[in-house]
Amino acid sequence: MDTLAWLAFASLAAWAWLLLGQGFFWRTDQRLPPTTRGMGHARGEPGAPIGGRACEEPDTSTVRHAREEPTVWPRVVVVVPARDEAGVLPLSLPSLLSQDYPGGAEVVLVDDGSTDGTGALAVELAGRCGGLPLTVASPGEPEPGWTGKLWALRHGMALARARGPEFLLLTDADITHEPDSLRLLVSAAMENDLDLVSQMARLRVESIWERLVVPAFVYFFAQLYPFRWINRARPRATAAAGGCVLLRTETAVAAGVPESIRQAVIDDVSLARAVRRAGGRIWLGLAERVDSVRPYPGLGELWRMVARSAYAQLRHSPPLLLGTVAGLVVVYLVPPVALVAGAATGNAPAAWAGGAAWAAMAGSYVPMLRHYRQPLWLAPLLPFTAFLYLLMTVDSAVQHHRGRGAAWKGRTYARPEAAPDR
């Protein structure tokens, strides 16, 4: 066999291992842990848009499933870091203020130096919509050694802890929650004795670039951090999804967060590792009732979203970057090249192995496309999307070595730390 055939068989072997030995990452059945106490409810269709306009009444016509609930509900403070979020706040904030939660709850929104009136808009929305009490605070510019979001979380979590909550819900300003979201999160955490419960919000997929890139983003994340490995009694991986994190307050104090992770760009993974080091139990899964409304209409917005943290994930290591690029080429790009080139040149082994690897790749992507309600013809296009991610990762490294580091919302962190392992 020639070099192309060997590469094709190497790719096929890699896919056999990924499908069977990487925590069944391709499956999408990791959802909120079931509970067994008391009768509860979850209203509305899973994954439906939440509130087409500010303060719109939620659909409560459908009872989807029964769920046992605690008899005594703990106090919760929702902390929302927000920087220049006036465009999405009318959709997201009312969904938090209208939470159907039987215990004490309130919302703290931290206006992180916004220039678009985010704080004033939040106050206006609270006055118009009512619901849970809202506090809007501003911590000023970050001190040296802090990334912006974690600086805002530090201020918000300090205000929250003064209220004496048992749990903190850390959620991004672009995330909408159906009315029973907080109720279900707390119920799952209490029944399963979890210190951190995190859901990967369903991201927006409307533009063509969102359809190509967004489901793959979650697919690649699950491949890197298989949810089953995270959720095992003896975990083999640690991660969280920063858009929706329910965190036990005493565990946050024991883990020293956010101070212990103040420089992290990949703050969700860093948070999960800090909680795990403190002895906390973690659960991560896909959300059905928590959605992101942030638009990424063009490739440029998606590119910046991925590139700002890609090289940090590789610990700013050139050898890891080279290994990642080589791995992406062999696993995702060789199969279609081998199939086409092998068929064109009569190289049957290369064509057969390349086609089989491409089929395995596309088949593993189908569950994620179904989760995002996308057409299955997108599955064979995964090699193209992987090539885009390869370019984004290389660009992230180039920007880092030019001293530009991670840039987001008008701030640039020249040499931020990656998520710490220790």
Side-chain angles (χ1 to χ4, degrees):
M1 293 193 300
D2 61 9
T3 301
L4 182 61
W6 280 113
L7 286 172
F9 275 99
S11 181
L12 181 58
W15 275 108
W17 179 81
L18 285 170
L19 292 177
L20 301 176
Q22 189 65 7
F24 295 100
F25 75 93
W26 43 272
R27 296 185 59 172
T28 57
D29 55 354
Q30 293 292 290
R31 308 297 169 90
L32 273 181
T35 60
T36 56
R37 294 183 302 193
M39 290 300 293
H41 61 281
R43 298 184 289 194
E45 291 296 332
I50 307 165
R53 60 182 186 275
C55 307
E56 179 177 338
E57 288 296 319
D59 176 16
T60 59
S61 60
T62 304
V63 176
R64 183 171 171 269
H65 57 227
R67 180 180 279 265
E68 296 252 344
E69 297 178 338
T71 55
V72 178
W73 290 88
R75 184 168 184 78
V76 182
V77 176
V78 182
V79 180
V80 185
R83 178 173 171 83
D84 292 336
E85 297 287 11
V88 296
L89 214 58
L91 293 173
S92 61
L93 185 58
S95 77
L96 289 170
L97 299 175
S98 63
Q99 283 300 296
D100 176 19
Y101 183 67
E106 59 183 293
V107 179
V108 173
L109 184 139
V110 185
D111 182 5
D112 181 21
S114 298
T115 60
D116 64 352
T118 289
L121 177 59
V123 172
E124 178 189 338
L125 289 169
R128 188 193 316 165
C129 302
L132 300 182
L134 173 70
T135 298
V136 177
S138 179
E141 284 298 304
E143 292 180 355
W146 286 83
T147 57
K149 179 180 177 180
L150 289 170
W151 176 250
L153 281 178
R154 174 182 182 266
H155 191 72
M157 291 172 69
L159 291 175
R161 285 197 293 264
R163 274 81 162 168
E166 186 174 338
F167 287 96
L168 303 168
L169 175 60
L170 312 179
T171 185
D172 289 345
D174 64 308
I175 302 297
T176 58
H177 295 252
E178 292 200 26
D180 52 8
S181 172
L182 181 57
R183 179 188 201 115
L184 297 177
L185 284 164
V186 171
S187 180
M190 293 186 67
E191 173 66 15
N192 295 276
D193 192 26
L194 295 167
D195 297 282
L196 186 154
V197 179
S198 182
Q199 290 185 287
M200 177 71 73
R202 199 190 306 260
L203 306 177
R204 199 188 90 142
V205 281
E206 294 182 12
S207 71
I208 182 61
W209 287 112
E210 287 171 336
R211 293 172 185 272
L212 281 170
V213 175
V214 167
F217 177 82
V218 182
Y219 172 89
F220 292 141
F221 183 90
Q223 189 177 85
L224 190 61
Y225 302 106
F227 296 166
R228 274 180 169 74
W229 284 3
I230 294 168
N231 300 336
R232 290 174 53 174
R234 295 183 177 180
R236 296 180 58 187
T238 302
C244 178
V245 176
L246 184 74
L247 177 62
R248 201 178 291 269
T249 305
E250 64 178 358
T251 305
V253 173
V257 295
E259 287 79 6
S260 63
I261 59 171
R262 61 186 177 275
Q263 286 186 286
V265 171
I266 310 174
D267 53 88
D268 43 14
V269 176
S270 298
L271 172 62
R273 288 174 175 168
V275 168
R276 189 84 84 188
R277 290 194 301 271
R281 295 188 60 211
I282 291 174
W283 185 91
L284 171 63
L286 295 171
E288 294 179 301
R289 313 177 67 72
V290 178
D291 296 86
S292 172
V293 293
R294 187 180 305 285
Y296 293 99
L299 179 59
E301 294 91 344
L302 288 162
W303 191 290
R304 287 187 290 273
M305 185 265 291
V306 174
R308 70 187 177 101
S309 60
Y311 197 42
Q313 183 62 61
L314 300 176
R315 303 181 182 90
H316 306 116
S317 168
L320 281 178
L321 174 65
L322 292 174
T324 298
V325 170
L328 287 171
V329 168
V330 171
V331 174
Y332 288 98
L333 304 187
V334 164
V337 171
L339 174 60
V340 173
T345 61
N347 188 337
W352 177 86
W358 196 0
M361 178 198 319
S364 73
Y365 192 37
V366 165
M368 189 61 69
L369 289 174
R370 285 179 172 163
H371 174 67
Y372 272 91
R373 300 179 178 87
Q374 295 305 301
L376 299 189
W377 58 261
L378 289 170
L381 299 182
L382 188 57
F384 172 73
T385 304
F387 179 64
L388 289 178
Y389 274 88
L390 185 156
L391 297 178
M392 294 172 191
T393 302
V394 171
D395 181 56
S396 179
V398 170
Q399 298 306 318
H400 172 80
H401 288 289
R402 286 179 175 175
R404 298 175 185 174
W408 193 248
K409 294 290 184 78
R411 289 192 180 121
T412 299
Y413 308 104
R415 290 187 178 275
E417 290 182 0
D421 289 318
R422 298 179 299 278

